[in-house]
Amino acid sequence: MCGIVGACRADNGVRQILLRGLTTLEYRGYDSAGLAFVGDKNVQRLAVAGRVAKLRQITKITDGSTGIGHTRWATHGAPDEHNAHPIAVGQVALAHNGIIENHAELRRELTDAGRVFHTDTDSEVAAHLLDMALADGDDFLTAMRRTAAKLHGAYALVAVAAGNNSIAFARDGSPLMAGTDNKNGFFVASDAQALNGIAHRALYVEDRHCGLISTAGITLVTTDGETAAQNWQPLPSGSETVLLGEHRHFMEKEIFEQPDAIAAALQHHLPKHQLSLRHFGNGATSLFKRTRQVVIIACGTSYHAALIATYWLRNFGIPCRAAIASEYRYCPDKLAAGVLAVGVSQSGETADTLSAMRTAKSAGATTVALVNVPHSAMAREADLLMLACAGTEIGVAATKSFTAQLTQLLILTLALTKARNVLAPAQEEDTLMQLRQLPYLMRRALLIEDDIRRWARVFAGADSALFIGRHTHYPLALEGALKLKEISYIHAEGCAAGELKHGTLALVDKRVPIVGLAPDNELLPKITSNLAEVAARDGRLFVLAGEKFDMPATDTLRLQDGGNFLSPLIYAVPLQLLAYHTALQKGTDIDKPRNLAKSVTVE
Ligand code: G6P
């Protein structure tokens, strides 16, 4: 979603830093981009609808020692050049991430006061408020504080003003950080990646804080004007530069990285392949012992990982549920003692999940963040942190982060069970043995790519597709459908096989390809019957199955899944490949599908 980067340097222009930062943030998803530089008498704004590469072209001869840049994912107003940020009003230019909820009311007041609006965005009100405060004689920081105090909703704001070589910023609800190169360069960004290799130390701005950076340093205050403590941390340098290598798309690369990513995650969380509760950190053992109930909160693909984990937890007798974060935050549980709220998120910044975690925490739950981005907001706020360890994921459609989350959720399940003394040693050993096989089994699953390519030719010609499964393969059916629609734009539905005859069966005819998930487990006879019902109605079946599935004349690809627990992780691989190859045939923008964003920082 929207990305922010800003830079002040004494000795050089900042254009390259801004463009590089925006390029790094491209993967988050956006549809327009812009830069603004400070001049003596004005601010110079340049913006485009479309990609940062286009912005690079039109800014070739423009530079300055103080500037801000933005990639915008449209919420209010079309994704065109005039709505792109930074928004220039009077003597200021301002970029905003988030949503200003009282923008309509503020716009009315400002219009009554004679202000003329030039964009359809919610953000323009902040630019007017800032410009008015400066015109009233406020210094830049006070003007930003007064502006922030009038806004309701979520925001990370950065702004420049004519003749002022500094950047004012404010945050409430949307991620923002400052950085320094330890010399005379100071920076701001919505994501540490934008400052990778540029800043050596970082300061994560807290909610309801404002500040100012210049080449002389940084000032940080609360929105009430109190001086705020500055908690600088080293910024791990060179955090990997992510390259495509031999792959055509990041999604393809990330699908194929899964065996190695899982091996690395297992090494991190199960050193010596043993389950040790101490590994979870101080107090984890007693926390897990006290846990009476688990609620797992997430969005999108992470929610599907959460749903699968509920089957595992219940299997070990641990009461649990998975909740869609955007629903949970407005309808939380009345929590009793001993509730563990696990927020699952690749980015660790998803606004709904972050907010739902805060809701659970204020209701008394202990929070665990299972995230892939180490310094993300969720990682910083949770009581306990579990890293997915999948490595940077660029493709908007989550793949390796999903299987990495599942691996960690399985380890968490075992840890909770062990702490309650209900994990039999044989069961622990058996599950750990399954986990150790995981990288090998995933490599094998990747080998069916050629057959999946054949299936994809059929799916690419369809208007609609169905995915059906039972037990842990029901959430996986949801995930298979989500992957397909995200990147190929084909309508797809995931369905619990037992629910088919309660409605979805009406959609079945020979034009709708149907993926059936039929692993070798105790429910195989049931899913086989459900698939037979589909075949009897001319449904065109494509079945992913273990050795035992037997339905003559059905297009079946066999998978070795290593046992009940790991099965959904293995079956995820061909579903990801199916979405990828279908999208490849359709020629869509696979890594940046239309209308979607990698990191969803608005409600
Ligand atoms: C966006 C992405 C999805 C992702 C979801 C949740 O919608 O496009 O791929 O599953 O956000 O993101 P999170 O970072 O919280 O896992």
Side-chain angles (χ1 to χ4, degrees):
M1 238 167 207
C2 305
I4 286 175
V5 59
C8 299
R9 284 211 310 187
D11 44 1
N12 234 323
V14 294
R15 171 181 172 269
Q16 283 299 355
I17 292 178
L18 299 181
L19 286 170
R20 186 170 174 265
L22 292 184
T23 306
T24 321
L25 297 179
E26 278 194 295
Y27 77 98
R28 298 164 65 98
Y30 71 105
D31 30 45
S32 61
L35 296 178
F37 297 102
V38 173
D40 287 343
K41 301 216 162 46
N42 59 3
V43 287
Q44 187 170 13
R45 169 195 184 262
L46 299 117
V48 296
R51 298 291 175 216
V52 175
K54 203 163 140 197
L55 185 65
R56 190 179 289 279
Q57 286 301 322
I58 67 154
T59 56
K60 270 194 176 136
I61 51 162
T62 321
D63 209 339
S65 60
T66 303
I68 56 175
H70 190 257
T71 46
R72 172 176 185 254
W73 186 82
T75 59
H76 296 64
D80 54 27
E81 185 274 331
H82 90 280
N83 286 329
H85 299 207
I87 294 170
V89 169
Q91 52 184 322
V92 306
L94 171 140
H96 166 224
N97 282 3
I99 292 180
I100 296 170
E101 288 173 356
N102 57 337
H103 71 98
E105 184 190 327
L106 289 171
R107 189 182 266 247
R108 266 194 306 276
E109 285 172 22
L110 288 161
T111 309
D112 290 348
R115 289 267 154 176
V116 179
F117 279 75
H118 302 289
T119 76
D120 312 311
T121 65
D122 55 324
S123 316
E124 190 177 343
V125 293
H128 280 283
L129 290 169
L130 189 63
D131 184 50
M132 278 170 79
L134 287 174
D136 282 353
D138 282 351
D139 61 76
F140 203 11
L141 180 56
T142 308
M144 183 53 101
R145 277 206 306 111
R146 278 179 63 192
T147 299
K150 293 206 166 88
L151 307 178
H152 300 159
Y155 56 80
L157 299 174
V158 297
V160 286
N164 189 330
N165 277 319
S166 56
I167 297 173
F169 61 84
R171 173 203 161 143
D172 193 10
S174 293
L176 190 68
M177 58 177 292
T180 176
D181 58 8
N182 292 335
K183 288 185 272 177
N184 56 15
F186 280 85
F187 314 96
V188 281
S190 53
D191 183 321
Q193 291 213 39
L195 301 183
N196 190 11
I198 294 166
H200 303 310
R201 286 189 304 144
L203 180 159
Y204 292 93
V205 180
E206 303 283 327
D207 280 347
R208 291 174 295 285
H209 280 56
C210 301
L212 199 70
I213 56 165
S214 69
T215 53
I218 177 169
T219 310
L220 190 69
V221 295
T222 65
T223 8
D224 300 329
E226 303 288 323
T227 302
Q230 295 187 16
N231 181 16
W232 289 92
Q233 309 175 17
L235 196 60
S237 71
S239 344
E240 75 203 285
T241 306
V242 188
L243 300 171
L244 261 183
E246 61 189 326
H247 296 281
R248 289 162 290 188
H249 299 95
F250 280 106
M251 182 179 181
E252 181 187 44
K253 176 174 183 260
E254 286 153 8
I255 291 172
F256 279 85
E257 277 173 352
Q258 289 178 107
D260 290 342
I262 302 286
L266 289 175
Q267 179 62 31
H268 180 82
H269 288 280
L270 299 175
K272 304 196 190 120
H273 291 300
Q274 292 304 321
L275 180 66
S276 153
L277 294 180
R278 268 181 301 166
H279 181 72
F280 286 87
N282 290 341
T285 310
S286 65
L287 169 67
F288 290 172
K289 270 196 175 78
R290 289 196 309 272
T291 298
R292 294 283 154 268
Q293 194 192 336
V294 178
V295 51
I296 317 180
I297 302 167
C299 301
T301 290
S302 299
Y303 173 66
H304 296 153
L307 273 178
I308 289 173
T310 62
Y311 287 82
W312 293 335
L313 286 158
R314 265 198 285 274
N315 176 74
F316 284 110
I318 301 174
C320 62
R321 76 174 183 107
I324 294 175
S326 54
E327 294 297 316
Y328 185 86
R329 60 189 290 194
Y330 299 110
C331 188
D333 294 315
K334 192 160 172 13
L335 296 181
V339 173
L340 196 66
V342 184
V344 183
S345 171
Q346 189 287 128
S347 60
E349 301 285 357
T350 302
D352 282 318
T353 312
L354 183 60
S355 175
M357 293 291 288
R358 288 175 182 159
T359 305
K361 191 166 183 163
S362 59
T366 304
T367 54
V368 178
L370 169 45
V371 299
N372 196 34
V373 179
H375 297 287
S376 53
M378 275 178 232
R380 296 196 307 276
E381 289 189 20
D383 299 312
L384 209 75
L385 171 64
M386 278 191 88
L387 287 175
C389 298
T392 306
E393 189 176 71
I394 301 284
V396 163
T399 51
K400 63 175 180 171
S401 64
F402 175 65
T403 48
Q405 286 166 351
L406 284 172
T407 307
Q408 306 312 341
L409 285 166
L410 185 50
I411 293 172
L412 180 66
T413 303
L414 293 177
L416 283 164
T417 313
K418 189 167 177 161
R420 293 152 66 104
N421 291 324
V422 284
L423 183 64
Q427 198 162 25
E428 177 179 341
E429 183 46 39
D430 184 46
T431 314
L432 290 177
M433 202 179 69
Q434 289 185 36
L435 270 169
R436 283 196 281 275
Q437 284 187 304
L438 194 48
Y440 161 76
L441 292 170
M442 292 196 115
R443 258 179 220 114
R444 286 190 61 98
L446 286 164
L447 294 177
I448 63 172
E449 188 180 20
D450 281 345
D451 286 305
I452 293 287
R453 210 177 271 125
R454 175 173 60 74
W455 282 14
R457 283 196 278 277
V458 179
F459 282 73
D463 293 327
S464 190
L466 295 177
F467 291 74
I468 57 178
R470 278 178 176 264
H471 200 260
T472 50
H473 289 69
Y474 156 53
L476 196 62
L478 298 177
E479 175 60 9
L482 178 64
K483 283 286 91 70
L484 188 71
K485 62 188 157 195
E486 271 179 306
I487 58 166
S488 75
Y489 315 151
I490 294 169
H491 169 256
E493 255 186 60
C495 185
E499 278 291 291
L500 262 181
K501 51 179 113 30
H502 301 295
T504 310
L505 203 54
L507 299 178
V508 170
D509 65 26
K510 57 178 180 294
R511 289 167 305 167
V512 182
I514 299 149
V515 177
L517 305 173
D520 289 343
N521 61 27
E522 64 283 8
L523 292 175
L524 183 59
K526 305 281 180 206
I527 183 85
T528 306
S529 303
N530 298 136
L531 295 176
E533 289 156 15
V534 170
R537 286 159 182 86
D538 281 340
R540 184 152 184 206
L541 279 178
F542 296 83
V543 181
L544 293 168
E547 284 311 309
K548 297 185 187 144
F549 174 73
D550 182 20
M551 191 183 280
T554 304
D555 197 337
T556 305
L557 299 179
R558 305 282 171 185
L559 289 162
Q560 189 184 341
D561 68 16
N564 266 346
F565 285 111
L566 300 193
S567 183
L569 285 95
I570 304 301
Y571 278 64
V573 173
L575 295 178
Q576 296 164 348
L577 286 171
L578 179 61
Y580 176 73
H581 283 289
T582 306
L584 200 59
Q585 303 223 4
K586 295 201 75 178
T588 57
D589 190 350
I590 292 182
D591 285 334
K592 301 188 200 82
R594 68 182 182 201
N595 307 338
L596 301 182
K598 180 78 183 153
S599 192
V600 181
T601 46
V602 295
E603 260 194 79

